[in-house]
Amino acid sequence: MDTQPDPRRGRRRPMRAVHTAAVLHDAPTPLARMIGRGARMTVKPLLRLAPVDERTMRRLQRFAEVVNRGASEDITVEAGDIGGVPGEVMTPGDGPTTGLHLLYLHGGGFFTGSVHSYRSMLEEIVRATGGTIYAVDYRQLPVGGIADSVQDAIAAYEDVVTRAPDAGKVVVAGDSAGGYLTMKVAELATRRGLPAPAALIAFSPLLSLEPDRQDKNVMRVDKVREAVLPIARVAALRRLWLPEGDIIEGFADPLHASAYIHSPTHLVAVEDEFLRPEVEAFALLLDDKGVEVDVHLWRGQLHAFPIMAGHLPDADLAIELAAEFALRHIGEPPEVEVEDAGARPETLEGEMA
């Protein structure tokens, strides 16, 4: 079992968790360790120094558009609008083998990321589920703020529900900023009287627009060593996310919207990322209202690491576990259950402060 050194005792200590029955994955692969060290040495310093302005965002978006290797031979891709939002529909090359219809909302802090830059991950989701995957390029900064992103996400969901032969087999998933949108879709589906998603999947989701605040009622059991996004940059982003006059439909923070969320939820967070405390707090809130919650905490990974699926074994496993959750909740569980030999269930370690 992989653990971290305990400076007080000179020995390694096990992972800790707040959420009861969280599954702890504490054996990162050597490749994950290497990627983490590299990100801390290169990506984080660059993001700490880069100006948070329109020029930087447009450069990042151009890079995201360039990262497009095209579809693999075993994947069929159809480009077009989904609810009026540009996107793609991806299926296995020989046709879907399950009735799953999954809307994926990419991350990127509401200012970068695209269907193209997520190609590898999306293809792994297609392979793992055998379903139909919808991915959209919702509006982002500097073109639109979060309120616009939310409207694009719910519009895409309404369209997917219409396209799916069985609305009870529609799942919504996303990472980071896309995790925020995933929970907003679930909330607004309830508010608008739409069918609730069969399941929700969120990798390192942003669940409030103030994740950098330290005075909120969430338990922190580990020191934050976020490898990618410096916490200090969140305040600058927040000013751009919500320009004056913009109003987000429903709650601005999904963390406050648990009363509107009824779908079984699969949550993934990294042990030391600064979004983790709110992920566990959200899981506790859903637990309290009887919603099925599946929490997976991973050691030694980067924020939203499942986006590296197809290149990182740890990410591949995270996708397989999420796919199993999705298929089980549409009534089509895989024949063989996915297992992680290094994972272990956790008992309640703490609670919301």
Side-chain angles (χ1 to χ4, degrees):
M1 179 178 69
D2 178 71
T3 53
Q4 294 182 6
D6 184 338
R8 297 170 301 177
R9 303 178 182 177
R11 65 184 184 185
R12 295 180 178 271
R13 61 167 177 77
M15 285 177 67
R16 296 183 295 168
V18 171
H19 183 266
T20 181
V23 178
L24 307 182
H25 304 264
D26 49 12
T29 62
L31 179 57
R33 290 175 176 278
M34 183 178 69
I35 291 173
R37 285 194 294 268
R40 286 182 171 87
M41 293 173 62
T42 58
V43 178
K44 190 170 184 177
L46 286 172
L47 291 177
R48 184 181 288 119
L49 297 173
V52 181
D53 57 21
E54 181 174 335
R55 185 178 182 184
T56 298
M57 292 174 185
R58 291 198 181 280
R59 284 179 173 175
L60 288 170
Q61 287 169 358
R62 283 197 295 271
F63 175 76
E65 292 169 359
V66 169
V67 183
N68 179 12
R69 61 178 176 79
S72 298
E73 292 183 357
D74 62 330
I75 304 293
T76 297
V77 177
E78 180 182 345
D81 285 354
I82 303 170
V85 186
E88 293 182 349
V89 181
M90 305 175 68
T91 56
D94 295 331
T97 57
T98 70
L100 175 71
H101 285 249
L102 185 147
L103 171 64
Y104 195 88
L105 301 159
H106 69 75
F110 298 106
F111 63 86
T112 189
S114 70
V115 172
H116 293 160
S117 63
Y118 273 66
R119 174 80 67 193
S120 178
M121 177 200 199
L122 293 169
E123 289 187 351
E124 290 303 316
I125 295 176
V126 173
R127 296 185 184 105
T129 63
T132 302
I133 310 304
Y134 303 78
V136 293
D137 284 324
Y138 55 85
R139 281 172 290 176
Q140 301 186 93
L141 294 170
V143 175
I146 290 181
D148 299 306
S149 302
V150 168
Q151 290 305 309
D152 285 354
I154 190 63
Y157 176 71
E158 289 188 78
D159 191 12
V160 173
V161 168
T162 300
R163 296 191 193 195
D166 184 349
K169 295 189 176 184
V170 175
V171 171
V172 184
D175 64 281
S176 195
Y180 174 101
L181 295 176
T182 295
M183 299 308 160
K184 287 300 298 179
V185 165
E187 175 199 351
L188 296 184
T190 298
R191 290 180 181 273
R192 295 186 180 190
L194 299 170
L200 303 171
I201 296 168
F203 305 120
S204 296
L206 174 71
L207 294 173
S208 84
L209 301 186
E210 297 180 308
D212 51 326
R213 277 182 48 191
Q214 299 295 307
D215 59 344
K216 293 192 288 188
N217 292 330
V218 293
M219 172 70 80
R220 289 173 171 79
V221 296
D222 284 292
K223 182 179 179 180
V224 170
R225 289 182 297 275
E226 171 61 47
V228 180
L229 178 64
I231 299 176
R233 306 315 299 271
V234 175
L237 278 171
R238 186 163 49 240
R239 290 192 291 271
L240 300 175
W241 283 341
L242 274 176
E244 186 176 354
D246 274 18
I247 298 176
I248 296 174
E249 183 178 352
F251 284 106
D253 294 342
L255 187 61
H256 299 150
S258 61
Y260 291 87
I261 297 174
H262 313 292
S263 306
T265 302
H266 179 94
L267 296 170
V268 171
V270 174
E271 178 186 23
D272 54 6
E273 66 176 327
F274 71 84
L275 298 183
R276 174 198 166 176
E278 292 188 354
V279 171
E280 289 195 277
F282 187 62
L284 290 173
L285 291 170
L286 293 177
D287 269 344
D288 286 345
K289 60 188 295 289
V291 174
E292 179 186 345
V293 185
D294 195 13
V295 180
H296 290 257
L297 301 176
W298 293 72
R299 168 167 282 175
Q301 306 296 336
L302 293 181
H303 165 73
F305 71 95
I307 67 176
M308 291 183 278
H311 305 286
L312 177 66
D314 315 63
D316 293 342
L317 176 59
I319 292 297
E320 290 173 6
L321 291 167
E324 179 185 70
F325 185 85
L327 291 173
R328 176 158 48 89
H329 285 92
I330 67 165
E332 300 183 34
E335 294 182 2
V336 179
E337 184 175 346
V338 180
E339 294 185 4
D340 177 2
R344 58 188 173 88
E346 183 57 89
T347 56
L348 187 65
E349 183 78 22
E351 59 185 19
M352 291 181 66

